Amino acid sequence: DILLANVVRAKDNSLLFQPHAIYYLDGLSVAVVGLIYQKFTHSVIHEGVVGLSVTDPVEAAQKFVETFKDSVDMLIALSHSGWKQDSIMASQVRGLDLIIGGHSHTVLNQPRIVNSVMIAHAGSKGRYLGHLNLSVDTTANTITNFEAELIPVITDSIKADFWVSRLVKGFEKKHAKQLERRIGTLANDWNNS
């Protein structure tokens, strides 16, 4: 499923994708919401986001919690907002159980707990597969224990899928001029530490 609760069409405020879904796993009802950072339209090709409006992911998460808190066992946010924003969301939104996040390329070997919300990040570029086993108390609707690991993905021995590779090359060719256009020059070396 593609889930995204905080991006709407500007002309009529309609959702671009399904905002959330409910899954039934091992006797649990789990509501999952998709969220993205509010300024994502500033970091993608302009033509791809014309006519879209992004709402505050924290507000969208709070609305999600209010909608489902009494009807499911677990509330999970799939967030493409980055570690810092996920931490803010966890501190401001009461009721989330788990945030599975991305965007900041943060590698967390073990999930972090912020304001009783578990946050898991598995880095970037498919280097790791995040594996998380949860023990859940369904009476209290809370995570009581977990086992987590990041499994390194070794890609040197994997041959690229022909059709996927062809698709990627097509996108690269189509957008090469825009992606290779110089938009600025750093006066000093980039320090991303």
Side-chain angles (χ1 to χ4, degrees), residues 62-181:
Q62 188 62 57
K63 182 178 176 183
F64 164 75
V65 168
E66 293 304 317
T67 301
F68 292 103
K69 68 181 178 182
D70 296 325
S71 60
V72 298
D73 298 312
M74 288 192 69
L75 297 167
I76 298 175
L78 295 180
S79 168
H80 192 96
S81 299
W83 164 250
K84 183 178 178 182
Q85 290 302 310
D86 289 347
S87 298
I88 291 169
M89 184 184 318
S91 67
Q92 292 182 359
V93 178
R94 289 270 183 223
L96 282 174
D97 295 296
L98 171 64
I99 298 171
I100 299 175
H103 178 61
S104 59
H105 301 190
T106 303
V107 176
L108 296 178
N109 289 310
Q110 292 293 306
R112 304 264 172 86
I113 308 297
V114 175
N115 195 31
S116 301
V117 179
M118 182 179 293
I119 304 174
H121 278 242
S124 65
K125 299 181 178 150
R127 291 183 184 114
Y128 298 99
L129 174 65
H131 185 236
L132 183 60
N133 282 322
L134 304 174
S135 297
V136 178
D137 178 341
T138 56
T139 305
N141 289 345
T142 186
I143 298 169
T144 57
N145 198 9
F146 69 92
E147 293 177 16
E149 67 176 320
L150 293 182
I151 303 166
V153 176
I154 301 168
T155 59
D156 294 341
S157 62
I158 300 172
K159 184 178 178 185
D161 179 86
F162 173 78
W163 295 108
V164 172
S165 180
R166 185 173 167 184
L167 182 68
V168 168
K169 286 178 183 168
F171 280 120
E172 287 173 343
K173 185 176 179 182
K174 178 179 178 182
H175 298 291
K177 284 185 181 178
Q178 286 182 298
L179 294 173
E180 293 172 2
R181 182 174 49 99

